[in-house]
Amino acid sequence: MPTARKKQVSLSDTKYYHCISRCVRRAFLCGEDRFTGRSYEHRRDWVEEKLLTLAKVFCIEVCGYAVMSNHTHIVLYVDDKKAERLSDKAIVIRWHKLFKGNWLTQKYVNGNELSESEHSMLAADITEFRLRLASISWFMRVLNEDIARRANEEDGCTGRFWVGRFKSQALLDTAALAACMAYVDLNPIRARVTETLETSDYTSVKKRIECARQGKQPKSLRRFAGNPRENMPSGLPFDFTYYIQLVELTGRCMRSDKRGYISDSQPLLARLQIEPDNWLKLTTQFAKVFHGAVGRKQAMTDYCEHLNKKRRVNLTQCERLLG
């Protein structure tokens, strides 16, 4: 039996999660079906546009993504503190961008007077909406349901579009986060869809590179905040330049089909204390090597204790590859 979602998400241990959704039918989610010659490439636009739109509504930031021919990879950051800070009206307005709400929420946002009993019912609704806007399950549900409906309508069929529910992995520390983001950003290169990061369409790394050329970071993605330090602003805990260099060098090693060696001059890899050979395995086989939460021993132990898990799945692999 699949592990219940509530037993996989522990925001006290980490806010970062890797989510994977896979198409159920032989017909592609995107790309071109070599059996029929029909192109579904335009569906990549659907996924990317919907994903980045939801990030503006939910209290969840997108760290990385790759839209492949029959599956998607997404790295998310749950900002539950933001959900707690938002006013009741802001919560309802955000929810109405996703759903129509009910007569009571519509009455509230229109400024109509509410009775005492209506205020009580509304408070319960807002509490639920607040939790949902910081929920990975609801984020992925809204994303996948929208794409499934549009694809089914276009294909003229009904039934499941995705293989069951999405898969998720907790990324328990900086090493796991960096490795997973590199794995996601390099997916098209590993699949031989493209040869460079800047031509890797429908990925977060291409969007970041395009904005970097203008000296900016994309507003639709979680920003890089630099190396960990006191009074650190919210953002990814490493430097963007070092990250891009690291991913580029990793991609070169992968394309030459060699285990290779990544230069010690890369500050991010040295700081993460991961051996170059192990890094290559992490960034080419992340989803195969790990089937659950990922992080070093102490982070794994704390995570399992908080969720009352008896077994620390992946611990041996984490110790071998992450150190």
Side-chain angles (χ1 to χ4, degrees):
M1 291 291 290
T3 304
R5 193 72 60 198
K6 65 181 180 181
K7 292 186 177 181
Q8 297 180 41
V9 176
S10 175
L11 297 183
S12 63
D13 291 294
T14 182
K15 314 283 188 182
Y16 293 98
Y17 293 85
H18 173 215
C19 302
I20 308 169
S21 298
R22 194 170 296 276
C23 188
V24 73
R25 296 196 294 267
R26 179 186 61 78
F28 285 2
L29 162 65
C30 305
E32 183 173 320
D33 188 334
R34 64 181 182 275
F35 294 99
T36 65
R38 185 175 178 182
S39 175
Y40 299 92
E41 192 67 14
H42 57 284
R43 292 180 181 174
R44 295 185 194 269
D45 284 311
W46 296 357
V47 178
E48 185 175 51
E49 182 181 356
K50 186 68 175 182
L51 173 65
L52 299 180
T53 297
L54 291 180
K56 297 177 182 178
V57 179
F58 279 83
C59 297
I60 294 177
E61 295 182 59
V62 177
C63 303
Y65 66 88
V67 184
M68 304 300 290
S69 62
N70 65 349
H71 66 285
T72 61
H73 288 278
I74 307 172
V75 180
L76 299 174
Y77 171 84
V78 182
D79 194 348
D80 56 324
K81 299 301 181 184
K82 180 179 180 180
E84 294 172 5
R85 291 194 305 268
L86 290 174
S87 67
D88 288 351
K89 191 165 187 177
I91 289 291
V92 176
I93 290 173
R94 283 175 178 249
W95 188 253
H96 282 178
K97 291 180 179 180
L98 303 171
F99 303 100
K100 293 180 180 179
N102 55 41
W103 64 273
L104 187 56
T105 59
Q106 292 290 347
K107 186 176 180 180
Y108 172 65
V109 295
N110 289 332
N112 297 326
E113 187 174 347
L114 303 180
S115 66
E116 186 175 341
S117 61
E118 288 174 336
H119 271 295
S120 179
M121 289 188 292
L122 178 66
D125 285 340
I126 292 175
T127 297
E128 185 64 28
F129 296 161
R130 196 181 297 276
L131 292 173
R132 291 177 179 179
L133 288 174
S135 166
I136 292 176
S137 291
W138 273 90
F139 184 98
M140 295 299 296
R141 171 182 174 177
V142 175
L143 171 64
N144 286 348
E145 281 189 358
D146 180 74
I147 302 304
R149 288 195 183 98
R150 295 175 69 177
N152 279 350
E153 182 178 358
E154 184 177 64
D155 294 341
C157 66
T158 59
R160 286 185 175 274
F161 184 77
W162 302 101
V163 178
R165 59 181 185 173
F166 69 95
K167 295 181 180 179
S168 68
Q169 293 177 292
L171 305 174
L172 300 177
D173 51 34
T174 305
L177 174 62
C180 186
M181 285 185 61
Y183 167 79
V184 170
D185 281 333
L186 287 168
N187 245 249
I189 291 175
R190 187 165 59 89
R192 297 182 182 178
V193 175
T194 186
E195 294 184 351
T196 65
L197 296 176
E198 59 270 24
T199 59
S200 186
D201 294 332
Y202 304 103
T203 62
S204 52
V205 70
K206 180 180 179 181
K207 183 171 288 293
R208 291 188 188 278
I209 289 173
E210 289 175 343
C211 289
R213 286 171 174 166
Q214 304 172 19
K216 302 177 181 178
Q217 292 202 49
K219 295 181 179 179
S220 55
L221 299 175
R222 182 163 174 79
R223 65 185 289 109
F224 284 85
N227 297 333
R229 57 194 182 277
E230 288 187 31
N231 302 317
M232 181 177 175
S234 179
L236 294 166
F238 27 83
D239 183 86
F240 173 66
T241 302
Y242 293 154
Y243 173 76
I244 290 295
Q245 290 174 350
L246 180 60
V247 175
E248 172 70 18
L249 285 174
T250 306
R252 289 178 184 174
C253 294
M254 288 162 47
R255 287 199 301 273
S256 62
D257 197 28
K258 297 179 181 177
R259 299 185 69 187
Y261 181 80
I262 297 176
S263 170
D264 289 336
S265 64
Q266 298 306 309
L268 178 60
L269 192 60
R271 185 167 57 80
L272 296 179
Q273 298 179 336
I274 301 177
E275 290 297 320
D277 286 351
N278 288 345
W279 175 259
L280 286 176
K281 186 167 185 177
L282 284 167
T283 53
T284 56
Q285 303 178 41
F286 194 92
K288 291 183 179 180
V289 171
F290 300 115
H291 300 281
V294 185
R296 290 193 164 109
K297 184 175 181 179
Q298 189 57 53
M300 288 283 289
T301 300
D302 294 342
Y303 171 79
C304 291
E305 286 180 354
H306 293 157
L307 293 179
N308 296 317
K309 289 177 174 284
K310 295 182 180 180
R311 294 180 63 245
R312 294 176 292 181
V313 180
N314 288 331
L315 181 59
T316 301
Q317 289 283 46
C318 287
E319 287 185 314
R320 185 167 64 87
L321 296 174
L322 296 175

